[in-house]
Amino acid sequence: MVDKGSRSSNLRSKAEAKVSTTPSDQSELTVDQAKELMQELEVHQVELEMQNQELREAQHHLEDIRDQYTDLFDFAPIGYIILNEKGLIDNINLTACSLLAINRTKIIKRPLSAFMEVNEAHILFIKLQEAFKNGVLKPFELEIKRNDRGSFPALVQGTVTKNIKGQLQCRLSMQDITEVRQARILQQQHKALQNEKEKIQQYLDLAPVVFLLTDKEHKIQMINQKGCNLFGYERVELLGQNWFDFLIYEENGGEDDPSLIDFERKIKLLAPELECKVRCKNGEELIMSWHNTTLLGKNGDQIGILSAGEDITVRTKLEEDKQTYTDNLELKIQERTKELIKALEAEKRINDLKSNFITIASHELRTPITIVMSSIILIERYNSLGQYDKSNKHIARIKSSVDHFVNILDDFLSLHQLDKGIIQINKEVFDLEPFVQEIIADMKGLLKKGQHIVYQHTGSKKLNLDPKILRNIILNLLSNALKYSNDQINVKSSIRLDHLKITIEDQGLGIPEEDQENLFSSFFRARNVEHIQGTGLGLSIVQRYLELFGGNIKFKSVLGKGSIFTIIIPIS
């Protein structure tokens, strides 16, 4: 950069040269004329200084404008690139440099096509040709490579102008649309989920029972057509309404009648089965039997409840009328023979068993029954085609479903007894070591190939506890260890002065860390054992049995290495 002193020296030299070539007036000046001339020179000098000041201010203003333009150009949120007719980069802002991950000094005069694949470069070449012909670069998308890593989708558009030399150049903008594309994908996924939801709604509308989905605030999020028809509402009238405030009859759980079910308390306790009165739009009251399943989020928190309901109004009234009739009949036939009384009692027991079976089958036993039915249909089809060898697989499925069916019955029976509080502790003194050995012997039929159980006991052997409940606790824990492991199972027991301690260790699948906090919740199953049959009630039942003893259960588990469950029961 030339400093101001050298610039002034050059100007003075040029001025002197010009003066020397200009003819001068050789006539002598008087003193007055000289004073007047000096006055004019001083005025001109002041004028020149004022003009110079204005020029300097104008220059500073132009420099400010240039800096502002540079800032606006470089720090704009969109990349800007100026290309000449050959597709070479004449100028580029810092945002575009950041998108391409390259320094500006290394990109000027390079072709923009160097940052894309051959096919993309060909598209750019055709678009630029059209732009220089038509004057506009219409918006289009390109996949552009970064100098250091990967690539990104960009939206490119621009206009064609002339520079100060009259040469054509394309001023284009470049915007990273990665998030836009992701938004498109999410929108497509949302649409697919919406379609899937509509399909599920269509299937549920065909169901013969009421299906109802409420969120954690008890607001209705979904109800099938059976429910709308039964309660007399349009679906839009029910969605978003609070289930308890809108439909549940006010007397449910009322303090004036302790036999009525406290609905909110049952929901909070995740009651699997309950009955209540429901108020229809026309004022009619229906008695409904419900089965509730708690829905858990990824973090294990409750996000809603799925309820399946059946109208039992007529059946309940019939049962009440039948009970009244039976009571009156018993008064009239007291003098009849004992054989007739026994026959009536047998009939009543059969009716009770039938009622209980229908209740369970309508809720928890549909899945294994469905598998059995589908397998039978496939076996018949294979037999009709003479493909008998293909039936074995489905026969095995039928056997497995029957076993699953029995396990569900056992689990629900235990849960029912615990819920009703009808289990009583009957303590007796027995020897613990042979007691546990007998349980292990009973479990040998469930051992897989290469699987065995090792048992050790320390301390005293005599114990004063309810052996039936203790047996159920050990059976549940040991069956879980056998089910989720293929190797050795270690069982240890010890009796100290004030407590009994039993440890069951396996080298099986282990429990995912994110599932461990919900392990003792009813119906909860870890995600890595969803393919293995089970009701999700075993550990919940064990915990509730231990609560009867005043004991507790702890566990340690590492995914893929196994689990250790330890129970401690006070015996003081």
Side-chain angles (χ1 to χ4, degrees):
M1 180 176 180
V2 181
D3 59 12
K4 294 183 178 180
S6 60
R7 185 183 302 167
S8 300
S9 178
N10 291 335
L11 291 174
R12 182 174 181 84
S13 299
K14 291 179 181 180
E16 289 175 349
K18 188 172 183 180
V19 169
S20 64
T21 58
T22 303
S24 61
D25 189 0
Q26 301 296 329
S27 61
E28 294 184 357
L29 298 175
T30 64
V31 175
D32 292 337
Q33 288 175 334
K35 289 181 179 180
E36 184 178 353
L37 182 59
M38 286 295 294
Q39 179 69 25
E40 290 181 2
L41 287 174
E42 289 177 356
V43 171
H44 283 302
Q45 183 177 1
V46 172
E47 290 178 351
L48 287 174
E49 289 178 355
M50 294 175 65
Q51 291 175 358
N52 286 336
Q53 180 63 28
E54 290 177 355
L55 289 173
R56 283 193 295 270
E57 291 177 355
Q59 182 180 2
H60 291 159
H61 181 65
L62 289 174
E63 289 175 353
D64 290 340
I65 293 175
R66 181 195 63 192
D67 293 340
Q68 292 176 7
Y69 166 77
T70 302
D71 289 343
L72 290 172
F73 179 73
D74 277 338
F75 299 107
I78 299 175
Y80 289 111
I81 302 175
I82 299 177
L83 299 177
N84 60 25
E85 287 188 272
K86 295 180 180 180
L88 302 179
I89 299 174
D90 284 344
N91 200 357
I92 184 171
N93 71 341
L94 293 180
T95 303
C97 291
S98 176
L99 289 173
L100 297 175
I102 191 170
N103 190 278
R104 179 153 46 192
T105 59
K106 297 180 180 181
I107 197 173
I108 299 298
K109 298 305 178 184
R110 287 184 63 184
L112 180 60
S113 59
F115 295 91
M116 57 192 71
E117 300 292 343
V118 177
N119 293 338
E120 300 291 307
H122 182 66
I123 294 173
L124 176 64
F125 174 75
I126 294 175
K127 294 290 185 181
L128 285 176
Q129 280 190 328
E130 294 177 356
F132 281 114
K133 184 184 296 183
N134 302 326
V136 177
L137 182 64
K138 295 181 179 179
F140 68 101
E141 294 181 8
L142 280 176
E143 189 71 22
I144 297 179
K145 297 189 297 184
R146 287 188 171 90
N147 189 47
D148 57 348
R149 67 194 184 282
S151 63
F152 66 94
L155 177 65
V156 177
Q157 57 185 328
T159 58
V160 175
T161 61
K162 289 184 179 181
N163 59 16
I164 58 176
K165 297 180 180 180
Q167 298 172 338
L168 291 176
Q169 54 183 195
C170 181
R171 301 175 182 268
L172 61 85
S173 64
M174 179 174 63
Q175 184 177 2
D176 186 351
I177 58 170
T178 302
E179 294 183 358
V180 175
R181 284 194 176 179
Q182 291 175 348
R184 292 176 188 167
I185 294 173
L186 290 175
Q187 188 176 13
Q188 293 173 354
Q189 292 175 345
H190 175 74
K191 186 176 181 181
L193 288 174
Q194 190 67 28
N195 294 335
E196 189 67 23
K197 179 181 177 181
E198 292 176 358
K199 288 182 180 179
I200 293 173
Q201 183 70 58
Q202 291 175 358
Y203 294 143
L204 292 178
D205 285 343
L206 298 176
V209 297
V210 177
F211 279 102
L212 179 75
L213 176 64
T214 56
D215 59 20
K216 59 183 179 181
E217 296 177 352
H218 307 305
K219 292 183 178 180
I220 301 172
Q221 299 299 318
M222 184 276 294
I223 186 169
N224 66 343
Q225 192 60 44
K226 175 69 175 181
C228 295
N229 296 339
L230 191 62
F231 303 145
Y233 289 94
E234 297 293 333
R235 183 177 283 118
V236 68
E237 295 180 273
L238 294 174
L239 295 180
Q241 297 288 348
N242 186 287
W243 169 241
F244 295 107
D245 296 341
F246 197 69
L247 286 175
I248 299 302
Y249 189 62
E250 293 179 358
E251 290 185 3
N252 288 305
E255 295 181 358
D256 56 340
D257 189 351
S259 65
L260 297 174
I261 299 174
D262 182 348
F263 234 66
E264 293 195 42
R265 182 176 64 83
K266 284 293 186 181
I267 289 296
K268 291 177 181 178
L269 294 176
L270 308 179
E273 296 179 4
L274 52 116
E275 295 180 3
C276 73
K277 292 181 180 180
V278 176
R279 181 178 55 247
C280 298
K281 187 174 183 179
N282 60 5
E284 181 183 0
E285 299 171 11
L286 299 179
I287 301 175
M288 299 291 296
S289 174
W290 295 99
H291 171 73
N292 295 322
T293 301
T294 301
L295 304 179
L296 302 177
K298 293 182 178 179
N299 298 326
D301 53 331
Q302 179 182 333
I303 61 175
I305 295 177
L306 179 62
S307 302
E310 180 184 4
D311 180 8
I312 59 171
T313 306
V314 175
R315 190 175 75 193
T316 302
K317 290 181 178 179
L318 287 176
E319 289 178 353
E320 291 175 354
D321 293 342
K322 181 178 179 180
Q323 186 62 43
T324 302
Y325 172 76
T326 302
D327 293 341
N328 293 332
L329 185 61
E330 287 178 352
L331 293 174
K332 294 179 181 179
I333 63 173
Q334 287 180 355
E335 297 179 357
R336 295 187 181 184
T337 61
K338 294 181 180 180
E339 290 79 9
L340 182 58
I341 295 174
K342 291 180 180 180
L344 290 173
E345 291 176 351
E347 180 182 359
K348 186 175 182 298
R349 285 197 300 271
I350 292 173
N351 288 334
D352 291 339
L353 289 173
K354 180 180 178 182
S355 177
N356 291 334
F357 176 78
I358 291 173
T359 302
I360 295 173
S362 65
H363 299 308
E364 290 299 329
L365 305 178
R366 291 185 179 179
T367 299
I369 291 175
T370 302
I371 294 174
V372 170
M373 290 302 299
S374 63
S375 297
I376 291 174
I377 292 172
L378 290 172
I379 290 172
E380 291 176 346
R381 184 177 300 173
Y382 289 139
N383 289 345
S384 65
L385 296 174
Q387 299 174 350
Y388 302 106
D389 56 329
K390 295 185 177 180
S391 301
N392 295 333
K393 173 184 175 182
H394 298 286
I395 292 174
R397 289 184 67 197
I398 292 175
K399 293 179 179 178
S400 176
S401 297
V402 171
D403 292 338
H404 183 45
F405 191 97
V406 174
N407 290 335
I408 291 175
L409 285 177
D410 291 340
D411 287 343
F412 271 89
L413 178 60
S414 297
L415 188 64
H416 173 75
Q417 292 174 337
L418 288 166
D419 283 338
K420 296 298 183 180
I422 60 178
I423 295 180
Q424 296 182 350
I425 297 178
N426 299 309
K427 290 186 177 182
E428 59 181 78
V429 178
F430 60 94
D431 195 331
L432 177 64
E433 186 173 6
F435 175 79
V436 176
Q437 289 175 342
E438 181 182 353
I439 296 175
I440 293 174
D442 292 341
M443 299 292 287
K444 286 185 177 180
L446 299 178
L447 292 176
K448 304 172 188 175
K449 185 176 180 181
Q451 198 175 43
H452 58 280
I453 303 173
V454 177
Y455 173 55
Q456 294 180 344
H457 176 76
T458 58
S460 175
K461 296 183 180 181
K462 293 298 181 181
L463 186 65
N464 185 18
L465 273 181
D466 188 323
K468 183 177 179 181
I469 294 179
L470 183 60
R471 178 182 177 85
N472 286 338
I473 291 172
I474 298 174
L475 279 174
N476 265 298
L477 293 175
L478 197 53
S479 63
N480 276 352
L482 294 174
K483 187 186 301 182
Y484 304 129
S485 173
N486 295 318
D487 301 318
Q488 176 176 305
I489 310 297
N490 296 317
V491 181
K492 297 179 182 179
S493 62
S494 63
I495 299 178
R496 300 291 181 246
L497 292 176
D498 60 348
H499 70 271
L500 162 67
K501 180 179 179 181
I502 298 177
T503 301
I504 297 178
E505 178 182 2
D506 65 69
Q507 287 81 40
L509 298 176
I511 304 164
E513 186 175 350
E514 60 270 20
D515 291 339
Q516 292 183 9
E517 61 178 344
N518 300 301
L519 196 59
F520 296 100
S521 299
S522 298
F523 301 103
F524 178 80
R525 306 194 70 213
R527 65 194 66 188
N528 63 332
V529 298
E530 291 178 348
H531 62 287
I532 301 175
Q533 289 183 344
T535 62
L537 292 173
L539 290 176
S540 174
I541 292 173
V542 167
Q543 187 182 51
R544 295 177 69 175
Y545 274 144
L546 287 170
E547 289 174 357
L548 295 177
F549 285 145
N552 61 77
I553 181 170
K554 299 179 180 179
F555 71 94
K556 293 181 180 179
S557 183
V558 179
L559 191 63
K561 294 185 177 181
S563 304
I564 302 175
F565 283 84
T566 302
I567 62 172
I568 296 177
I569 301 174
I571 57 175
S572 58

